[in-house]
Amino acid sequence: MIALNCLQYSGLLKSLLARDLKERYTNTILGLAWLLIQPLFLLILYTFVFSEVLKIRFESTPSTAVFAFYLFAGLLVFNALAEVLTRAPTLLTERRELLLNTPLPAWILPLLPVGTSLVLEWLALLILCLGLAWWGDMLGWGLVLYVPYCLVRVILSLAAAYCLAILGVFLRDLRQIMPAVLSVLLFISPVLYPLERIPEHFKPLYDWNLLGQLVQGYRQALLEGIFVWQHWLGLLLIATLCLGASLWLFQRLMGKARLVL
Amino acid sequence: MNAIELQQVGLQYQQYAHPRDALLEWLLRKPRHQVFRALQGIDLCVEQGGSVGLIGDNGAGKSTLLRVLAGNLRQTSGECSIQGRRAALLELGSGVHPEFSGLENARLGLALRGLDTAAVAHYLPQVLDFAELGDFIYQPVKTYSSGMLVRLVFAVAVAVPPDVLIVDEALSVGDQYFQKKSLDRMRAILAGGATLVFCSHNLYQVRELCRQAIWLEQGRLRMHGDAQTVVDAYQDAVRARSSVSAAATLKPAKPSSTEAPVLLQVALLHANNTEQDDVEQPVFNTGQRFAVQVQFTRAGRAADDVHVGIVIRRNDDIQCYGISTLHDQVCMQHNGQQQAEVCFVLEQLPLLSGTYCLEVWLIDRSGVHVYDARERCCPFRVQQYSQAQGLGLTWMAHHWETPALKHEHEVVS
């Protein structure tokens, strides 16, 4: 149903997405380059702190470059999700005018940050690949193995976007809470450090950290060329269930949301 | 076939003190809202190719009804069916992005109306052509004046001729040139068989553009009918309201003494009395005979010392015409009786549609002293057959001269 609608509205979706990307960088000096500068800046910062100062290592290799690649693969996922999580709560309230006065279908809006996050992710991926190729560690089939995990990431992002977008209408505080949630998420997930560093008695908890599992999958696919399909299938199942639930919530509450927009 | 069919359409806004209450209500299943009835029991049928004007005070529910028609709000009760593709021009500036150029906004607006990339490319030149914004089309919309904005928005709305066009107040900010252009465009769309819903405080435009009109009052349908009739009734009501405050300040003139002449009866004489006997307000037609009979006592005064003055007032307190037997130098009849009678006659009533009333004065020969007066008596209504008799207060004797014709003759000779 939604896929059919997507087809019908593909033109609209495209121009909304283009506008969305441009909107954030019109009137800035560096323009779209910001999309690259932000993740690179964070990469350098985190590499310095965690690799040089705290001496954390992945795969027991002493190389700083390998640490940077592992870190970057993790940040790839995290930044993309962060984009969705920060923007979703204000998605509907910021477009009140459009929703109330034009035939704009509401379900199209949560697709925007997910689309943007995909663009962000692929730009970062490009950098990662360039880096890997330069270092001589590039795994060709890694990119193929990456695709299914990217799909899971997108489904999970959609679930978060629909859920947060609709709840954000009713709970305006969500917008303020999100940055804090993201900081917590960054530090409790094995993005900046390897999973092996986690004490044994916390491990069962980490099994349920979706972001952590996703990062794990990305790293295995892109850097090690490993694809554990049971792992992937499990993630896909959970993500799809989440999406179903949040679509239901979105549909259920949209009528009410229009009243309080 | 009916393009628009509304059956008992009602819309309740649920008002929440805070947005989170809406969520809590859903979770806890306990009502936490107050109900505001924006629309109640609206019935409306517009045939395909019809045009309906929407009038009423601010807050009467006009915009809400337009949003329901445009499909942006769902009615909470009743049935609403619209046939065909609709285009709506609602609040000004909605759906445009201030940072983006007019061109980008036009493109987006077309995409919002469900056009794909190829169709957008096809219609875009027409939009730009119609908006006539020149090089401003490349400037961000935030630099536009409201008139320029409405040009853009209107051009986008009518780019693809819709089956049902819904237009809100917004147009009135355009300049005269564009207003005419947009009205012409709406007329052309109408002529093409589309249906128009037009909401405006410019009642003249409503009357010109629409065949039917509906008058909304506090969310209800106060009146529905032919545009001329509804607009007249609405104007009457507005005038009546504004005169209430004026009436309060008017002091009734007192008879100067008990022994003075007094008015006995003031009556409207109507051509076809039989019809009018049962109604409170007699109805006259413009151009019909109109007569007022005034009976009064002379109370022993000389016949030429008691004169009758009559003022016709419209219900917004405008004095339409006032004259007296004194100023017209009427020789009051001297038949020796204490009761006298005089008739004020207009062979052809020049007044146009509206509600009027009379003021009748009994004055002395100097015209300064008032024996007796009746204010706001004999209310009556005037209706005109058509716009052909003009608009405003009264019909005025006139003729048209066409120099073009003379010119043509010159050209021929």
Side-chain angles (χ1 to χ4, degrees):
Chain A
M1 182 64 194
I2 277 191
L4 198 91
N5 280 331
C6 277
L7 213 65
Q8 187 195 340
Y9 284 101
S10 65
L12 174 64
L13 194 58
K14 242 183 271 170
S15 60
L16 275 176
L17 201 60
R19 168 172 144 170
D20 197 56
L21 277 171
K22 257 201 213 162
E23 193 173 315
R24 303 169 65 200
Y25 304 103
T26 39
N27 300 336
T28 58
I29 297 167
L30 293 175
L32 285 172
W34 278 114
L35 283 176
L36 291 176
I37 294 169
Q38 277 165 342
L40 279 178
F41 177 75
L42 283 178
L43 177 70
I44 293 166
L45 177 74
Y46 291 147
T47 307
F48 172 72
V49 174
F50 288 88
S51 170
E52 300 306 301
V53 179
L54 295 175
K55 300 288 178 200
I56 293 174
R57 284 286 175 270
F58 286 91
E59 293 280 292
S60 61
T61 44
S63 145
T64 306
V66 172
F67 176 86
F69 291 142
Y70 269 84
L71 182 60
F72 204 56
L75 282 178
L76 211 70
V77 185
F78 177 79
N79 284 340
L81 264 179
E83 163 77 16
V84 175
L85 294 186
T86 42
R87 289 195 46 215
T90 54
L91 215 50
L92 298 183
T93 43
E94 274 174 2
R95 287 165 183 78
R96 178 182 183 277
E97 284 278 288
L98 277 174
L99 280 173
L100 295 183
N101 294 324
T102 62
L104 178 79
W107 58 263
I108 219 168
L109 290 177
L111 297 177
L112 297 180
V114 179
T116 314
S117 77
L118 215 50
V119 174
L120 277 174
E121 182 174 321
W122 286 340
L123 275 172
L125 186 66
L126 186 73
I127 296 176
L128 180 68
C129 288
L130 288 175
L132 283 170
W134 183 63
W135 196 252
D137 266 356
M138 183 65 192
L139 292 168
W141 69 90
L143 280 178
V144 181
L145 300 180
Y146 151 83
V147 174
Y149 276 107
C150 180
L151 179 73
V152 171
R153 207 279 294 164
V154 167
I155 293 175
L156 211 54
S157 305
L158 280 173
Y162 277 104
C163 177
L164 288 172
I166 196 70
L167 290 179
V169 177
F170 304 103
L171 306 167
R172 306 280 160 106
D173 315 40
L174 269 183
R175 174 195 201 155
Q176 313 300 330
I177 297 171
M178 281 339 275
V181 169
L182 280 171
S183 300
V184 172
L185 215 52
L186 178 64
F187 286 102
I188 65 163
S189 308
V191 175
L192 302 171
Y193 48 86
L195 195 57
E196 296 80 54
R197 294 285 296 249
I198 294 155
E200 206 52 47
H201 55 282
F202 283 129
K203 276 271 173 66
L205 279 176
Y206 269 77
D207 289 343
W208 289 102
N209 183 336
L210 282 179
L211 177 60
Q213 296 296 338
L214 207 53
V215 168
Q216 188 82 353
Y218 266 60
R219 281 177 180 153
Q220 282 179 341
L222 284 168
L223 303 174
E224 295 159 19
I226 302 170
F227 184 80
V228 187
W229 68 269
Q230 294 97 329
H231 178 247
W232 175 77
L233 213 61
L235 274 179
L236 181 70
L237 195 70
I238 295 172
T240 315
L241 285 177
C242 287
L243 180 59
S246 78
L247 277 177
W248 175 80
L249 192 73
F250 186 82
Q251 215 171 7
R252 196 63 201 263
L253 286 176
M254 197 55 219
K256 270 196 186 303
R258 280 182 192 275
L259 295 172
V260 292
L261 262 177
Chain B
M1 197 183 77
N2 284 325
I4 300 175
E5 256 189 71
L6 300 186
Q7 270 175 24
Q8 287 294 312
V9 164
L11 191 133
Q12 296 184 354
Y13 280 117
Q14 292 164 2
Q15 292 177 321
Y16 295 91
H18 192 278
R20 67 170 168 261
D21 289 334
L23 189 67
L24 285 173
E25 183 181 81
W26 181 68
L27 288 172
L28 305 175
R29 312 271 159 194
K30 263 187 205 158
R32 295 175 85 96
H33 63 260
Q34 288 184 320
V35 169
F36 170 69
R37 291 173 205 276
L39 292 175
Q40 294 182 63
I42 307 286
D43 285 311
L44 178 67
C45 257
V46 188
E47 76 279 17
Q48 203 182 355
S51 49
V52 57
L54 193 51
I55 56 176
D57 300 333
N58 292 336
K62 300 190 298 294
S63 295
T64 306
L65 182 56
L66 287 180
R67 282 203 182 133
V68 170
L69 290 173
N72 294 329
L73 271 180
R74 178 95 62 80
Q75 73 276 13
T76 47
S77 61
E79 294 290 322
C80 166
S81 82
I82 310 270
Q83 304 295 327
R85 216 183 65 82
R86 46 196 158 179
L89 180 63
L90 299 173
E91 268 167 51
L92 180 63
S94 59
V96 295
H97 193 285
E99 293 286 338
F100 280 59
S101 73
L103 189 68
E104 284 170 304
N105 270 302
R107 211 173 270 145
L108 188 81
L110 289 174
L112 264 179
R113 284 171 172 78
L115 298 185
D116 59 19
T117 323
V120 168
H122 175 253
Y123 284 109
L124 199 59
Q126 295 175 27
V127 171
L128 303 189
D129 194 43
F130 190 82
E132 288 185 58
L133 288 168
D135 284 342
F136 265 104
I137 202 77
Y138 303 109
Q139 298 296 317
V141 164
K142 66 180 175 187
T143 63
Y144 285 22
S145 68
S146 52
M148 288 159 71
L149 194 58
V150 82
R151 278 174 178 234
L152 183 71
V153 174
F154 184 82
V156 170
V158 300
V160 189
D163 300 315
V164 178
L165 180 62
I166 298 157
V167 181
D168 200 354
E169 202 50 49
L171 270 188
S172 52
V173 298
D175 55 25
Q176 290 296 319
Y177 168 75
F178 191 76
Q179 274 202 29
K180 176 165 164 38
K181 190 169 167 178
S182 50
L183 284 174
D184 285 348
R185 183 58 178 261
M186 282 199 272
R187 225 172 263 139
I189 291 174
L190 258 178
T195 312
L196 174 74
V197 180
F198 182 63
C199 171
S200 180
H201 287 288
N202 187 336
L203 298 173
Y204 176 78
Q205 281 180 357
V206 170
R207 214 156 24 180
E208 285 296 293
L209 206 58
C210 304
R211 247 176 282 161
Q212 311 177 46
I214 53 180
W215 170 11
L216 283 184
E217 199 176 62
Q218 293 175 350
R220 289 169 189 277
L221 201 62
R222 165 92 183 248
M223 198 173 174
H224 177 204
D226 145 69
Q228 170 91 38
T229 319
V230 177
V231 167
D232 283 348
Y234 175 65
Q235 275 178 323
D236 271 346
V238 172
R239 284 185 213 124
R241 209 169 9 169
S242 56
S243 70
V244 169
S245 45
T249 58
L250 264 172
K251 285 177 231 130
K254 275 186 187 162
S256 51
S257 81
T258 45
E259 280 304 297
V262 286
L263 286 163
L264 293 173
Q265 199 199 351
V266 182
L268 293 170
L269 301 179
H270 201 271
N272 40 343
N273 259 331
T274 47
E275 257 182 69
Q276 304 300 332
D277 281 347
D278 51 349
V279 275
E280 280 284 292
Q281 283 190 2
V283 180
F284 293 86
N285 291 322
T286 306
Q288 201 186 9
R289 185 184 146 93
F290 172 87
V292 186
Q293 187 190 51
V294 183
Q295 290 176 336
F296 56 95
T297 60
R298 289 227 316 278
R301 310 281 161 146
D304 69 335
D305 198 23
V306 186
H307 283 278
V308 173
I310 284 188
V311 177
I312 301 178
R313 266 184 201 276
R314 196 161 70 175
N315 60 350
D316 55 351
D317 243 23
I318 285 183
Q319 285 192 353
C320 305
Y321 189 64
I323 195 66
S324 72
T325 50
L326 177 69
H327 297 97
D328 278 344
Q329 299 175 342
V330 177
C331 179
M332 300 301 273
Q333 266 201 339
H334 206 296
N335 57 6
Q337 287 172 349
Q338 286 306 303
Q339 276 192 22
E341 180 181 313
V342 68
C343 230
F344 171 74
V345 180
L346 293 168
E347 279 305 334
Q348 288 186 320
L349 182 66
L351 293 174
L352 299 181
S353 6
T355 302
Y356 301 85
C357 62
L358 295 179
E359 251 168 52
V360 182
W361 304 81
L362 219 49
I363 50 178
D364 72 348
R365 68 162 76 88
S366 69
V368 178
H369 186 72
V370 177
Y371 296 122
D372 193 6
R374 295 235 180 126
E375 294 186 58
R376 294 174 201 291
C377 62
C378 301
F380 62 97
R381 220 147 57 73
V382 177
Q383 63 185 20
Q384 59 193 96
Y385 289 119
S386 70
Q387 196 76 18
Q389 285 167 316
L391 44 91
L393 188 60
T394 76
W395 183 86
M396 292 188 185
H398 63 275
H399 69 279
W400 297 88
E401 283 175 5
T402 51
L405 218 66
K406 243 191 286 178
H407 187 67
E408 222 173 61
H409 278 292
E410 281 166 13
V411 168
V412 170
S413 60

